[in-house]
DNA sequence: TTGTATGCGTTATCAT
DNA sequence: ATGATAACGCATACAA
């Protein structure tokens, strides 16, 4: 590999001068600058990013910690981050990892070993204190999909409660009064927040959600099928179903269809996330659009800005609200 | 940030000894080793990956260059790579980028600046010579989804021609004799290779594929809709459709349905890739399974092995063949 | 078994 | 405007 010294020799200057040229340093003769650039070109010089990071004490890359690239939700997230990285010409240090404490910890640790100063982290397994501590050590530490009051200005998150409210209200507006909920057993905050939104809204309408009308399962297709099977088997009476996400909603529709029940004629169903699947399943899902890409972009920009020490508002917090996308799975309640 | 010297001081040894402990060096007293580890633990030492990479002259990370994380195909690819990276405890340097010459070049260049020795590259825009040159400079340079004879042992690729053959034969076996093809206009090799496979198989069956029966469009949902609209508008006579990929197939089905045509009653259709979509669209797509995750795993392992200088067979090439997945979109030809 | 010394490729601080 | 020179944190050859 050819180094800065090689260039210096070939151009007949000191390596200090070459360094100045590379970094567009202020005090270099036009003549010299030109010659050095010429030589760099000819010899195909590539600055050693590691040496640079060492002396600078910082890696310029943007670190990313997500749970699972296969999940279209995270793919979208990654895509948003990638787009700002590309735009700002910054390298991505990606650590995918399951939702496990050790894995997440490990991922962040590796990033720190690289002295990465900007990172967007999606963590559901680590506790608040740990995260707060990281935020203290890493200038550009930003959390996505999580809200921790103490580091609010580093959080880009979704108002799940509002989401629960919107989807419920829509169904109420369509005349539904008998609800069932398919929730997720695995994650912690999101499901319960959405559930809270649902409960509040129902309550405001003079209704209550009996626990027997809630079914918990894994937050995927299979979980949705499973949950709906249980609902049906237990003879729960409902005309509308609120699902934790699109995958579960889709699974639930499959089971419904297997039992000869039509959506939305026999039952309306609303999903959450608005991933690709929502458009392709049959009937097309009415769901809540999760502006994850927009959020990812904001998170990446924020992380980079903080890492650069730019004076970003430290009082502000970045809350997003999901919006209703009406498609075909929810309709006016049908008299039996 | 606490360094190796801090540990040395605290433990009352030289920093060389500490270094030996870190790297499990051979000649360290049990007693010393234990004490040093103890101190590292207490002080929360994190080795500086950049310094290490500098002195070692190599970055241990695995570089990845893919086109577009949003595409579930690439997400699966990334997932496969990620799984071996995690298993081997190796960091991922990810560069997503559009399918453009400059972007791809830029991505590889950045990886080289980091002195990354292992990389899995998905390139469709760069020419053979450029890629061959990179392969010469980077020990662990591996191409995925591309075959270049001169560097065959660094290529993990799919036999597209065989794929074209399999899908065609399946439809022939179902009694179809009138074919239409929906191909992609954008990528270069894959579509034409698949087309070649289709042509060969048709020819062997005594049939020929008229150019007017081929419609080219963008390789996505919209492209599929568009292509099918044209086919229909031009009054092309067919009972079976061979699509370039699942997205196009799905789009084509939408158009068919809009025109009151039933799949597979009025027309059979076969996709390619077997992405999630294939299972969720209606009817479920008969398609060719592209073992991309398996291939990605192999590519990552290969890249890492080459980078480590392990004696991997240099004569072997890594060709994969897609397999038929029968679902509901292709059926026995229906007499009109 | 342990310590000393040197260098990896840069940037940055001095002089000149 | 340019050139010595020191430092960054670490691995390692060589001494002890």
């Amino acid at each position: 590999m050819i180094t800065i010294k090689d260039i210096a020799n070939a151009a007949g200057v000191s390596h200090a001068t070459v360094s100045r040229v590379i970094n567009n340093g202020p005090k270099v003769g036009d003549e010299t600058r030109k010659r050095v650039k010429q030589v760099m070109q000819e010899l195909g010089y590539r600055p050693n990013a590691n040496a640079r990071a060492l002396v600078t004490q910082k890696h310029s890359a943007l670190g990313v910690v997500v749970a699972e690239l296969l999940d279209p939700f995270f793919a979208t997230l990654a895509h948003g981050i990638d787009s700002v990285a590309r735009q700002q010409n910054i390298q991505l240090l990606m650590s995918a990892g399951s939702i496990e404490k050790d894995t997440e910890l490990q991922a962040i640790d590796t990033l720190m070993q690289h002295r990465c100063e900007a990172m967007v982290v999606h963590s559901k397994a680590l506790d608040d204190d740990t995260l707060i501590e990281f935020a203290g050590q890493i200038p550009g530490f930003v959390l996505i999909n999580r809200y921790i009051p103490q580091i609010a200005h580093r959080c880009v998150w979704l108002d799940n409660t509002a989401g629960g409210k919107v989807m419920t209200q829509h169904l109420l507006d369509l005349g539904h009064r008998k609800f069932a909920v398919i929730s997720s057993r695995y994650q912690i905050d999101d499901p319960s927040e959405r559930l809270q939104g649902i409960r509040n809204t129902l309550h405001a309408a003079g209704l209550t959600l009996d626990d027997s009308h809630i079914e918990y399962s894994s937050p995927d297709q299979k979980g949705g099928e499973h949950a709906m099977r249980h609902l049906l088997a237990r003879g729960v009476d409902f005309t509308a179903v609120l699902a934790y996400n699109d995958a579960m909603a889709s699974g639930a529709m499959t089971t419904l269809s297997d039992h000869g029940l039509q959506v939305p004629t026999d039952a309306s169903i609303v999903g959450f996330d608005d991933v690709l699947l929502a458009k392709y399943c049959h009937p097309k899902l009415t769901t809540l659009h999760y502006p994850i890409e927009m959020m990812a972009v904001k998170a990446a920009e924020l992380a980079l800005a903080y890492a650069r020490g730019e004076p970003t508002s430290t009082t502000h917090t970045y809350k997003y609200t999901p919006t209703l996308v009406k498609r075909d799975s929810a309709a006016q309640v049908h008299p039996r």
Side-chain angles (χ1 to χ4, degrees), chain A:
Chain A
M1 264 298 135
I2 121 137
T3 80
I4 208 174
K5 286 185 186 170
D6 298 324
I7 312 281
N9 289 337
V13 295
S14 77
H15 75 271
T17 301
V18 178
S19 176
R20 288 188 191 99
V21 173
I22 293 173
N23 303 291
N24 287 314
K27 294 167 179 307
V28 185
D30 279 353
E31 175 66 16
T32 321
R33 187 184 301 270
K34 199 173 158 190
R35 183 156 36 97
V36 171
K37 284 199 170 178
Q38 168 77 12
V39 176
M40 291 200 307
Q41 188 71 332
E42 284 171 3
L43 272 56
Y45 169 70
R46 280 200 183 80
N48 185 321
N50 300 311
R52 220 176 219 172
L54 174 58
V55 62
T56 317
Q57 296 285 42
K58 65 184 61 172
H59 194 115
S60 66
L62 172 59
V64 181
V65 179
V66 292
E68 166 67 90
L69 285 175
L70 250 191
D71 188 327
F73 181 83
F74 286 109
T76 311
L77 169 52
H79 182 257
I81 294 177
D82 178 65
S83 73
V84 352
R86 182 132 22 108
Q87 185 191 317
Q88 301 199 17
N89 209 327
I90 275 177
Q91 181 74 13
L92 236 45
L93 268 177
M94 188 91 116
S95 261
S98 35
I99 313 191
E100 286 163 38
K101 206 168 171 178
D102 289 345
T103 322
E104 287 182 358
L105 218 45
Q106 163 75 30
I108 298 180
D109 190 75
T110 309
L111 255 18
M112 288 185 77
Q113 291 190 14
H114 284 271
R115 301 304 185 260
C116 185
E117 303 240 285
M119 39 202 279
V120 175
V121 175
H122 183 284
S123 168
K124 291 293 178 186
L126 264 23
D127 55 53
D128 286 8
D129 290 342
T130 309
L131 262 10
I132 291 174
E133 195 181 330
F134 278 132
Q137 299 174 44
I138 306 162
F141 187 84
V142 170
L143 286 174
I144 188 159
N145 276 15
R146 179 150 174 175
Y147 177 68
I148 300 179
Q150 292 94 322
I151 49 172
H153 56 294
R154 288 159 177 280
C155 296
V156 176
W157 54 291
L158 187 83
D159 189 343
N160 280 299
T161 315
K165 174 178 172 175
V166 171
M167 63 201 298
T168 311
Q169 191 59 54
H170 177 57
L171 257 8
L172 283 169
D173 292 347
L174 288 172
H176 292 273
R177 288 298 176 272
K178 294 185 277 187
F179 294 87
V181 172
I182 294 182
S183 185
S184 163
R185 146 183 305 146
Y186 293 104
Q187 287 125 62
I188 338 162
D189 301 331
D190 302 18
S192 65
E193 288 170 14
R194 292 179 195 177
L195 208 46
Q196 194 54 52
I198 293 172
R199 282 213 161 89
N200 292 348
T201 315
L202 251 25
H203 187 74
L207 300 172
T208 58
L209 182 65
D210 193 86
D211 277 350
S212 68
H213 285 226
I214 307 178
E215 191 64 46
Y216 298 86
S217 190
S218 62
D220 50 31
Q221 194 95 1
K222 285 235 186 314
E225 297 177 13
H226 180 265
M228 181 51 78
R229 259 199 311 274
H230 276 231
L231 246 21
L232 259 21
R234 297 212 326 267
V236 174
D237 185 26
F238 61 84
T239 66
V241 180
L242 297 149
Y244 173 66
N245 64 19
D246 294 342
M248 294 187 91
S250 155
M253 291 204 299
T254 303
T255 299
L256 244 17
S257 156
D258 289 349
H259 286 248
L261 265 19
Q262 293 284 328
V263 173
T265 322
D266 298 318
S268 282
I269 185 161
V270 177
F272 207 117
D273 285 353
D274 193 26
V275 289
L276 227 52
L277 162 60
K279 277 177 221 138
Y280 295 149
C281 63
H282 190 80
K284 292 176 183 165
L285 259 182
T286 287
T287 186
L288 286 194
H289 179 72
Y290 197 139
I292 184 61
E293 176 144 11
M294 200 185 301
M295 292 167 68
V297 166
K298 167 55 82 181
E301 287 173 347
L302 217 52
L304 259 11
Y306 280 132
R308 276 192 293 263
E310 286 172 17
T312 315
S313 154
T314 168
T315 65
H316 201 276
T317 182
Y318 304 92
K319 179 171 84 169
Y320 287 74
T321 310
T323 51
L324 184 69
V325 182
K326 295 181 195 172
R327 281 198 275 257
D328 311 328
S329 67
Q332 201 76 27
V333 67
H334 196 279
R336 294 251 172 131

